[in-house]
Amino acid sequence: MEREEFLKVYRHSLSHILCKAMRELFGEEVQYAIGPQIDDGFYYDFKLPRTITNEDFKSIENKMREILKRKEDWTRKEVTREEALEIFKDQKYKLELIQDLPEGELITTYNTGDDFIDLCTGPHVENSQDLLNTAFQIKSTSGSYWRGDEKNDQLQRVYVYAFPDKQQLKDHLALVKEAMERDHKKLGPQLGLFMFHETAPGMPYWLPRGWKTFNALLDFWRGIHEEHGYMEISAPVINNQKIWATSGHWGHYKENMFIIPGEKEDESDYYAAKPMNCPNAIMVYKNELRSYRDLPFRISQVDVIHRKEKSGELNGLFRVQEFHQDDAHILVTEDQIASEIADIMSIAGEIYGTFGLTYVAELSTRPDDFMGDIEVWNKAEAELKEILDNQYGEGNYEINEGDGAFYGPKIDLKMRDALGREWQMGTIQLDFQLPLNFDMKYAAQDGSVKQPVMIHRAIFGSLERYIGILIENYKGAFPFWLSPYQVGVVPIKPEHNEYAKKVVSALKEAGVRVEVDYSEKNMNGKIKTFRSFKNPYTVVVGDKEAETETLSLTIRGQKQQLHDVPLQKFVEMCKTMNREHSKELITEA
Amino acid sequence: MEREEFLKVYRHSLSHILCKAMRELFGEEVQYAIGPQIDDGFYYDFKLPRTITNEDFKSIENKMREILKRKEDWTRKEVTREEALEIFKDQKYKLELIQDLPEGELITTYNTGDDFIDLCTGPHVENSQDLLNTAFQIKSTSGSYWRGDEKNDQLQRVYVYAFPDKQQLKDHLALVKEAMERDHKKLGPQLGLFMFHETAPGMPYWLPRGWKTFNALLDFWRGIHEEHGYMEISAPVINNQKIWATSGHWGHYKENMFIIPGEKEDESDYYAAKPMNCPNAIMVYKNELRSYRDLPFRISQVDVIHRKEKSGELNGLFRVQEFHQDDAHILVTEDQIASEIADIMSIAGEIYGTFGLTYVAELSTRPDDFMGDIEVWNKAEAELKEILDNQYGEGNYEINEGDGAFYGPKIDLKMRDALGREWQMGTIQLDFQLPLNFDMKYAAQDGSVKQPVMIHRAIFGSLERYIGILIENYKGAFPFWLSPYQVGVVPIKPEHNEYAKKVVSALKEAGVRVEVDYSEKNMNGKIKTFRSFKNPYTVVVGDKEAETETLSLTIRGQKQQLHDVPLQKFVEMCKTMNREHSKELITEA
């Protein structure tokens, strides 16, 4: 059995054991709904006579183990609809599930011992003793709704970690602990990077330190895009309803938009905060007559955008209602699609590579309800495949056949972080539709008037989300060039303040982000504070340093200090790390 | 007679002459409303039998001159209310004006010759011949409403330039022409700086070039504020209604806010795009417990803000609905008010000085309905006066007694541009109220808990508006450090592209904003394009330059070219101008 299949059978079987345990602990009135496997185990939804708490976890786990030790046989049985309705007559959720099954077909049930039966297609283990070596642990409980609909009964969901053996569970728990320590929602406020407040749910407040990192990331992004011929604009945050009607957002995305009614009842007098940048980029394109000489026409922008989310779905910087997309819209001729996509892939490589993050690509191709010319689609898809073949080797990337949007094929870029977690990052989306909706044109070389193809693309996806990922990936210890403050300066005594000022100004002159503590606190207290913010370097200056124009350096992550570093040498080290966007700190002078 | 008084009498008298002329031209049915003097002349509002156009201007002016030549006497007469009602029985607007005058008092009228009378307090000239040397010219007409209320009659307003003599009118017309040529609404789109579109009225689109200037200005501003200990944040654009209720905006500023209704009818579920930054700055202050050691606590931010304006009041970048305020909020102890205000004044001096713009200050003091402790007000006002006395000399600045907001005194900073026009720029506003509304605290040195004083302040006021002013002040020719592109590079032939690349990369490395034209256009065409965008330098490279690693420079505003400028030398020139924010271009190598 493959690991995946094995996990599925074991986890699914354990979910029946949990169900049986709950019935034995809480009685016949327990209503059991569904219990699928998930990434790290499974969950099961119950209607219980009382709310269960962390205190109950141990006794539930013990009961499960006790059941396993009974070494009961599992029996698969096929029954008619009528028999199933009779078997589950006291289980309202199972009855509903049975009603939904196709008429006339047999229904599968599984018995675990004589006294527990569940509705299930299987497969399962043959005897509970097969599960004796598995390792499981209740993770948490949460409220849920029958069929995920808040109009239905509220249930209690029990999440359980489940792995084939103790070592794997142990490894996983270590990973979970590590992830918790890296949790950006905890580290962000702790490091003074960002905060949230109920006055603006899901809309981050960038605190002074976080805003420095944000801007350092933005500068890096700008530099690369400038090199690749992008022109950055900034466009209105609020637009009239008419533009959203033309773009199709009013028809298909209205629920996610923050809408501002106008003076009149008429919807065309309404405004909305933009959820996407495309229409405004189009207004800029259309501001002048364009010719083939202007193409590829590359407009980038990082304006703030707003998208309504259900409050339960907000999640730190990962799922927000207000964010900055590192957006770009490129207008090309059909002949320029291939070279432009190749250029975007090269930008993506440059950017992700700087962070040492590996990424993979997925191609989504023409759906049945595609619009436009099939020849254009075929050519574009062939070109995208060729680019991906060259980059990853033929067949070494996923193709989601028929999964593209109706208006064009797309490439998704997914990244893996330090914990091996996968993140959807950039998207490169071809669009044959919007240029049509907005009647976009260019004067072709042959004198005719043609319609350009539009490419929407983002590399970070959202700067907020990307910074959230980076915080977790680096555990808050950003590379030098991204650190909010790169250097903290500690004068040992007030008489060293003057030399400290000289150090600060030499560093600032070189474009280094530096902070200094002139207070009367003792040296160790100052060093401790700067280290708590994960500043890459803490510079200590006392008599000797002032006299010789040197520095003593405390380096993040290093026990040893560096002494007698000439000031100018340190300035050069910092300049190098900024220029090269180094992943590692220089630890030798 | 002082010039001001003289102008008032002459202009006001001329407005009667206009009125008399209109009656002679358009007959007895002409209804004349009011005709006050304004900055450059006067206007008069009429109800006329037909719409007048530019074609009518000449004959109206001629009729006015003809009347002056009659050398008629002006007679002042005091009449009773009843007499006045009789005299103006056919003039509905005059009748309304008479109704509004206090009962029982005599009413003043002025006759010009025998056949024209107007309701007026005067003073006026004694005979029309006194006006013979004045110079006037009809400027324009526009629609207006009786008493400025669109529910009233629509009238035609005739604007007239009027000056004591021909030379002064000529000078003024030259100034008007100059102002038109400098009009940022014309220059902005022409130089590719910004555009507007009906999809977002009053919300600027920053085009690629303008966005570079915007960011250069922002960087400059950031550098100075960093030096002065400000911490920049970025906060949500949209906030829940509750915070606006607490701040008082919901009660007093709602009409100017873009409001987003919530799911529920309840207003507390509403959201609004922020019209001001204060409440979010307060949330950041309140995010941690603060002590006297944290004060002055200086939070700066340049987030986009939104304020609704009537569409008729929108005016390019000067009056917009979406803009970036260079905002800061400072929390201080009462003892820190003086030193903090002095520091803000020094920032203002540094910033305005960089542009070579002079500015004056106005102090607005305690109104009758002030809130808080009168001792605190007295001390604060005395301190503000002392700062202004020191800066301008006692009495050399305006004091608007009683004109402060109820929550604190303020200083307004006003600037004069190249045409001598005055602009309201920065504001420094003390606020004893918001810290109370939001229950802000700090732990004082003596262990007690106290309330800080808040200072709101902006130097530019709005980055958009300031850039608009700069465009007009510089006629689009920004100083080097603010120019969208600072250098344009022109390779004479394709074989010079390689050296051109070297030049571009040396300049970019030095932080210079550079653009290059590798196209096959001829040299003069390329130079012309770069000059049309007012790039400070156009660098021409051909055989000789490539061989000797030199440049030929075309300098904005200069006829002569500079030849044989070593590349490295030019790079250093550019670096110096950027570092020093020079007002003038370096014209010698």
Side-chain angles (χ1 to χ4, degrees):
Chain A
M1 210 180 329
E2 275 185 45
R3 184 181 146 89
E4 288 302 312
E5 188 61 16
F6 174 89
L7 279 178
K8 192 178 153 194
V9 170
Y10 275 44
R11 284 174 172 165
H12 206 167
S13 300
L14 278 169
S15 82
H16 285 226
I17 298 295
L18 169 65
C19 206
K20 182 165 179 163
M22 295 302 275
R23 300 255 296 173
E24 294 188 13
L25 286 168
F26 297 96
E28 291 296 304
E29 57 185 306
V30 168
Q31 297 281 324
Y32 42 114
I34 54 160
Q37 84 146 341
I38 52 177
D39 262 4
D40 54 6
F42 61 89
Y43 69 77
Y44 214 115
D45 284 346
F46 299 101
K47 183 92 180 165
L48 298 172
R50 69 167 171 86
T51 303
I52 55 169
T53 68
N54 293 12
E55 333 267 82
D56 297 308
F57 291 1
K58 207 80 247 159
S59 60
I60 298 172
E61 290 167 8
N62 287 342
K63 175 60 80 181
M64 287 172 72
R65 282 194 195 94
E66 183 200 315
I67 293 171
L68 293 185
K69 283 183 193 144
R70 291 182 207 154
K71 303 185 180 175
E72 294 166 323
D73 280 331
W74 290 57
T75 342
R76 182 176 188 277
K77 224 194 268 175
E78 290 187 337
V79 298
T80 64
R81 189 185 190 81
E82 289 65 36
E83 287 168 323
L85 290 173
E86 174 58 25
I87 294 169
F88 293 103
K89 64 179 189 295
D90 298 327
Q91 288 293 329
K92 62 182 285 200
Y93 308 116
K94 297 295 173 188
L95 289 177
E96 275 196 43
L97 293 173
I98 293 164
Q99 307 288 8
D100 288 352
L101 293 174
E103 301 255 4
E105 284 178 27
L106 289 175
I107 291 170
T108 324
T109 61
Y110 275 87
N111 268 78
T112 308
D114 298 331
D115 53 354
F116 179 72
I117 188 161
D118 202 352
L119 185 75
C120 192
T121 54
H124 282 289
V125 293
E126 291 180 4
N127 185 290
S128 292
Q129 68 179 324
D130 300 341
L131 299 169
L132 272 173
N133 286 328
T134 62
F136 55 85
Q137 180 179 315
I138 299 180
K139 177 186 176 182
S140 60
T141 57
S142 73
S144 66
Y145 292 98
W146 167 236
R147 295 193 152 161
D149 186 339
E150 48 190 276
K151 279 178 271 167
N152 292 340
D153 289 356
Q154 198 176 352
L155 306 175
Q156 292 185 64
R157 178 169 295 176
V158 181
Y159 287 97
V160 183
Y161 294 123
F163 288 87
D165 58 44
K166 285 198 175 125
Q167 187 56 45
Q168 287 187 52
L169 174 61
K170 203 175 142 193
D171 291 349
H172 182 73
L173 291 177
L175 201 70
V176 168
K177 185 161 169 275
E178 179 71 21
M180 272 177 61
E181 282 170 11
R182 288 168 182 261
D183 185 356
H184 77 284
K185 295 189 286 297
K186 207 181 72 184
L187 284 176
Q190 187 177 309
L191 296 172
L193 300 173
F194 63 84
M195 60 173 259
F196 283 96
H197 192 281
E198 61 180 8
T199 181
M203 305 190 191
Y205 285 74
W206 285 104
L207 297 176
R209 287 175 186 270
W211 192 231
K212 286 193 182 290
T213 292
F214 187 102
N215 281 303
L217 186 65
L218 184 55
D219 278 352
F220 163 70
W221 181 90
R222 280 185 173 148
I224 289 177
H225 284 78
E226 170 97 22
E227 281 305 313
H228 285 260
Y230 284 72
M231 299 174 293
E232 190 182 331
I233 63 159
S234 176
V237 172
I238 291 174
N239 289 88
N240 180 270
Q241 183 269 355
K242 292 189 207 87
I243 207 171
W244 304 116
T246 305
S247 67
H249 288 92
W250 200 259
H252 299 106
Y253 201 72
K254 200 174 152 190
E255 300 303 308
N256 290 85
M257 287 160 75
F258 287 92
I259 291 173
I260 299 153
E263 310 285 310
K264 302 173 207 141
E265 276 295 306
D266 186 0
E267 279 204 344
S268 72
D269 201 38
Y270 282 28
Y271 284 79
K274 66 181 169 192
M276 291 179 198
N277 292 306
C278 347
N280 280 334
I282 293 170
M283 294 305 102
V284 169
Y285 178 89
K286 290 188 68 170
N287 186 43
E288 291 182 30
L289 292 176
R290 309 292 177 184
S291 90
Y292 69 96
R293 284 190 209 86
D294 298 318
L295 308 189
F297 186 85
R298 304 181 185 98
I299 287 285
S300 62
Q301 62 194 115
V302 285
D303 296 334
V304 64
I305 60 181
H306 292 85
R307 295 182 188 170
K308 265 193 194 172
E309 301 284 349
K310 297 211 177 88
S311 67
E313 285 170 6
L314 297 175
N315 178 16
L317 295 177
F318 290 166
R319 194 75 174 258
V320 289
Q321 298 202 104
E322 176 178 296
F323 60 104
H324 299 76
Q325 200 170 35
D326 64 312
D327 215 354
H329 295 88
I330 307 161
L331 286 307
V332 292
T333 68
E334 285 169 14
D335 290 343
Q336 291 168 335
I337 293 176
S339 60
E340 196 58 30
I341 301 282
D343 190 58
I344 296 169
M345 293 295 287
S346 120
I347 293 175
E350 234 174 295
I351 289 183
Y352 299 146
T354 301
F355 299 93
L357 300 166
T358 54
Y359 67 102
V360 293
E362 283 180 20
L363 175 65
S364 298
T365 60
R366 192 180 65 239
D368 291 337
D369 63 340
F370 73 98
M371 58 91 38
D373 183 351
I374 196 161
E375 290 305 317
V376 178
W377 273 86
N378 287 342
K379 183 160 169 273
E381 288 186 359
E383 287 170 345
L384 298 188
K385 278 180 188 157
E386 197 184 327
I387 291 165
L388 295 176
D389 285 349
N390 290 340
Q391 182 147 358
Y392 299 98
E394 216 167 311
N396 279 335
Y397 56 91
E398 268 188 60
I399 300 186
N400 305 315
E401 293 289 359
D403 234 21
F406 73 92
Y407 49 85
K410 73 166 174 175
I411 295 176
D412 284 315
L413 301 173
K414 299 190 172 180
M415 204 183 76
R416 241 174 235 291
D417 74 3
L419 293 190
R421 296 174 299 184
E422 200 175 84
W423 300 96
Q424 160 77 45
M425 304 296 312
T427 305
I428 308 167
Q429 170 77 59
L430 257 63
D431 188 344
F432 307 124
Q433 178 74 52
L434 276 190
L436 192 69
N437 290 9
F438 281 98
D439 192 27
M440 299 171 82
K441 305 268 184 239
Y442 69 94
Q445 193 156 14
D446 63 10
S448 67
V449 173
K450 292 195 171 152
Q451 196 153 78
V453 174
M454 191 163 190
I455 303 173
H456 311 248
R457 45 119 289 184
I459 309 294
F460 297 139
S462 137
L463 269 87
E464 278 74 3
R465 190 156 162 279
Y466 195 75
I467 292 177
I469 293 169
L470 292 181
I471 293 171
E472 302 208 350
N473 185 62
Y474 295 124
K475 221 171 174 169
F478 289 109
F480 184 84
W481 68 275
L482 266 183
S483 291
Y485 284 102
Q486 304 177 309
V487 179
V489 177
V490 174
I492 296 179
K493 290 185 182 159
E495 58 261 40
H496 306 123
N497 285 356
E498 199 184 329
Y499 177 55
K501 270 183 195 147
K502 188 173 175 177
V503 172
V504 168
S505 98
L507 286 165
K508 278 195 178 165
E509 184 72 19
V512 179
R513 295 187 294 277
V514 53
E515 60 184 334
V516 55
D517 187 347
Y518 293 123
S519 78
E520 309 230 327
K521 269 199 292 186
N522 74 46
M523 180 182 77
N524 285 331
K526 294 179 182 181
I527 296 178
K528 209 174 144 194
T529 305
F530 286 148
R531 289 187 82 127
S532 77
F533 285 117
K534 308 208 186 218
N535 286 352
Y537 294 93
T538 305
V539 159
V540 181
V541 295
D543 287 338
K544 199 184 112 202
E545 287 83 3
E547 205 172 290
T548 55
E549 298 236 330
T550 60
L551 310 167
S552 288
L553 299 182
T554 300
I555 305 172
R556 187 181 65 199
Q558 302 265 318
K559 283 211 166 151
Q560 251 58 35
Q561 285 201 1
L562 271 189
H563 293 287
D564 309 319
V565 181
L567 171 56
Q568 208 41 52
K569 181 138 202 180
F570 181 62
V571 169
E572 289 307 319
M573 281 163 61
C574 293
K575 277 167 84 171
T576 303
M577 284 181 289
N578 270 340
R579 191 176 52 241
E580 296 180 357
H581 302 104
S582 323
K583 290 193 249 315
E584 301 293 337
L585 297 180
I586 299 179
T587 55
E588 279 172 27
Chain B
M1 211 180 327
E2 277 185 43
R3 182 182 148 90
E4 287 303 312
E5 187 61 13
F6 173 88
L7 279 177
K8 194 178 150 192
V9 171
Y10 276 44
R11 285 176 172 164
H12 206 168
S13 300
L14 278 168
S15 82
H16 286 226
I17 299 295
L18 170 65
C19 206
K20 182 165 179 160
M22 296 301 276
R23 299 256 297 175
E24 293 188 13
L25 286 169
F26 296 98
E28 292 295 305
E29 56 184 308
V30 169
Q31 297 281 326
Y32 41 114
I34 54 161
Q37 83 148 340
I38 50 177
D39 261 5
D40 54 3
F42 61 89
Y43 68 79
Y44 215 115
D45 285 346
F46 300 102
K47 183 93 184 166
L48 297 171
R50 69 166 170 86
T51 303
I52 56 170
T53 68
N54 294 12
E55 334 267 82
D56 297 308
F57 291 1
K58 208 78 248 161
S59 60
I60 298 172
E61 289 166 7
N62 288 341
K63 176 58 82 180
M64 287 173 70
R65 284 197 192 91
E66 183 200 318
I67 292 171
L68 293 186
K69 284 182 192 145
R70 292 181 205 154
K71 302 185 181 175
E72 294 165 324
D73 280 331
W74 289 57
T75 344
R76 182 174 187 278
K77 223 194 269 173
E78 290 187 339
V79 298
T80 62
R81 189 185 190 82
E82 290 65 35
E83 288 168 322
L85 290 172
E86 174 57 25
I87 294 168
F88 294 104
K89 65 176 187 297
D90 297 327
Q91 288 294 330
K92 62 182 286 200
Y93 307 117
K94 299 294 174 189
L95 289 177
E96 275 196 42
L97 292 173
I98 293 164
Q99 307 288 11
D100 288 351
L101 293 175
E103 301 255 4
E105 284 179 25
L106 290 174
I107 291 169
T108 325
T109 62
Y110 274 86
N111 268 79
T112 308
D114 299 331
D115 53 354
F116 179 72
I117 188 161
D118 202 352
L119 185 73
C120 193
T121 54
H124 283 290
V125 293
E126 291 180 6
N127 186 290
S128 294
Q129 66 179 326
D130 300 341
L131 299 169
L132 272 172
N133 287 329
T134 61
F136 56 86
Q137 179 179 314
I138 298 180
K139 176 187 177 183
S140 59
T141 57
S142 73
S144 66
Y145 292 99
W146 167 237
R147 297 195 151 159
D149 184 339
E150 48 190 274
K151 278 178 271 163
N152 293 339
D153 287 357
Q154 199 176 352
L155 306 174
Q156 293 185 64
R157 177 169 295 176
V158 182
Y159 287 97
V160 184
Y161 295 123
F163 288 88
D165 58 44
K166 284 200 177 123
Q167 188 57 46
Q168 287 185 52
L169 175 62
K170 203 176 142 195
D171 291 349
H172 183 73
L173 291 177
L175 201 69
V176 168
K177 183 161 169 276
E178 179 71 21
M180 271 176 61
E181 282 169 11
R182 288 168 184 261
D183 186 356
H184 77 283
K185 295 190 286 295
K186 209 182 70 186
L187 284 176
Q190 187 176 308
L191 297 173
L193 300 174
F194 64 84
M195 60 174 260
F196 284 95
H197 191 280
E198 60 181 8
T199 181
M203 305 188 191
Y205 285 74
W206 285 103
L207 296 176
R209 286 173 187 270
W211 193 231
K212 286 194 183 291
T213 292
F214 186 102
N215 281 303
L217 186 64
L218 185 55
D219 277 352
F220 163 70
W221 182 90
R222 280 185 173 149
I224 288 177
H225 284 79
E226 169 96 22
E227 282 304 313
H228 285 261
Y230 284 72
M231 299 173 291
E232 190 182 332
I233 62 159
S234 176
V237 172
I238 291 175
N239 288 88
N240 179 271
Q241 183 269 355
K242 291 187 208 90
I243 207 170
W244 305 115
T246 305
S247 68
H249 289 92
W250 199 259
H252 300 105
Y253 203 72
K254 199 174 151 190
E255 299 305 306
N256 290 86
M257 288 160 76
F258 287 92
I259 291 173
I260 300 152
E263 309 285 312
K264 302 174 207 141
E265 276 295 307
D266 186 1
E267 279 203 346
S268 72
D269 201 40
Y270 281 29
Y271 283 79
K274 64 181 170 193
M276 293 182 197
N277 291 307
C278 347
N280 281 334
I282 293 171
M283 293 304 103
V284 169
Y285 178 87
K286 291 188 68 172
N287 186 40
E288 291 182 31
L289 292 175
R290 308 292 177 183
S291 90
Y292 69 96
R293 284 190 208 85
D294 299 317
L295 308 189
F297 186 85
R298 306 181 184 98
I299 287 286
S300 62
Q301 63 194 115
V302 285
D303 297 333
V304 65
I305 60 183
H306 293 85
R307 295 182 188 170
K308 266 194 192 170
E309 300 284 350
K310 297 212 177 86
S311 67
E313 288 172 4
L314 297 176
N315 178 16
L317 295 179
F318 289 166
R319 194 76 172 257
V320 289
Q321 298 202 103
E322 177 178 295
F323 61 104
H324 299 75
Q325 202 171 32
D326 65 313
D327 215 355
H329 295 89
I330 307 162
L331 285 307
V332 291
T333 68
E334 286 169 12
D335 290 342
Q336 291 169 336
I337 293 175
S339 60
E340 196 58 30
I341 302 284
D343 190 60
I344 296 169
M345 293 295 287
S346 119
I347 293 175
E350 235 175 295
I351 290 182
Y352 298 146
T354 301
F355 299 93
L357 300 166
T358 54
Y359 67 103
V360 293
E362 285 180 18
L363 175 65
S364 297
T365 59
R366 192 181 66 238
D368 292 338
D369 63 341
F370 74 98
M371 58 92 36
D373 182 351
I374 196 163
E375 290 306 315
V376 178
W377 274 86
N378 287 343
K379 182 161 171 272
E381 288 186 0
E383 287 169 347
L384 298 188
K385 278 180 189 158
E386 198 185 325
I387 292 165
L388 295 175
D389 285 349
N390 289 341
Q391 182 148 356
Y392 298 99
E394 217 167 311
N396 279 334
Y397 55 92
E398 269 189 59
I399 300 186
N400 305 315
E401 294 289 358
D403 234 20
F406 73 91
Y407 48 85
K410 74 166 173 174
I411 294 176
D412 284 315
L413 301 173
K414 298 189 172 180
M415 205 183 75
R416 241 173 235 293
D417 73 3
L419 293 190
R421 297 174 299 183
E422 199 176 85
W423 300 96
Q424 160 78 45
M425 303 296 312
T427 305
I428 308 168
Q429 170 77 60
L430 256 62
D431 188 343
F432 307 123
Q433 179 74 52
L434 275 191
L436 192 70
N437 290 8
F438 281 99
D439 192 26
M440 298 171 83
K441 306 269 185 237
Y442 70 93
Q445 194 157 12
D446 63 9
S448 66
V449 173
K450 292 193 171 152
Q451 196 152 78
V453 174
M454 192 163 187
I455 303 172
H456 310 249
R457 42 120 293 182
I459 308 294
F460 297 139
S462 137
L463 269 88
E464 278 74 3
R465 191 157 163 278
Y466 195 77
I467 292 176
I469 293 169
L470 292 181
I471 293 170
E472 303 208 350
N473 185 63
Y474 296 123
K475 221 171 174 169
F478 289 109
F480 184 84
W481 68 275
L482 266 183
S483 291
Y485 284 102
Q486 305 177 309
V487 178
V489 176
V490 173
I492 297 178
K493 290 185 183 158
E495 57 262 40
H496 306 123
N497 285 355
E498 199 185 329
Y499 177 55
K501 268 181 199 149
K502 188 175 174 175
V503 172
V504 168
S505 96
L507 286 165
K508 277 196 179 164
E509 182 74 19
V512 179
R513 294 186 296 277
V514 53
E515 59 183 335
V516 55
D517 187 347
Y518 293 123
S519 78
E520 310 231 323
K521 271 200 292 189
N522 74 45
M523 180 183 76
N524 287 331
K526 293 179 184 181
I527 294 177
K528 209 174 145 197
T529 305
F530 287 148
R531 287 186 82 126
S532 76
F533 284 117
K534 309 209 184 216
N535 288 351
Y537 295 92
T538 306
V539 159
V540 181
V541 295
D543 287 337
K544 198 184 113 203
E545 287 82 4
E547 205 172 289
T548 55
E549 298 236 330
T550 60
L551 311 166
S552 289
L553 299 182
T554 301
I555 306 173
R556 186 182 65 199
Q558 302 265 317
K559 282 210 166 151
Q560 252 58 36
Q561 285 201 3
L562 272 190
H563 293 286
D564 309 320
V565 181
L567 171 57
Q568 207 43 51
K569 183 139 201 181
F570 180 62
V571 170
E572 290 306 320
M573 282 163 61
C574 293
K575 277 167 83 170
T576 303
M577 284 181 290
N578 270 340
R579 193 176 49 241
E580 297 179 357
H581 303 104
S582 323
K583 291 194 247 315
E584 303 292 338
L585 296 181
I586 298 177
T587 55
E588 282 172 26

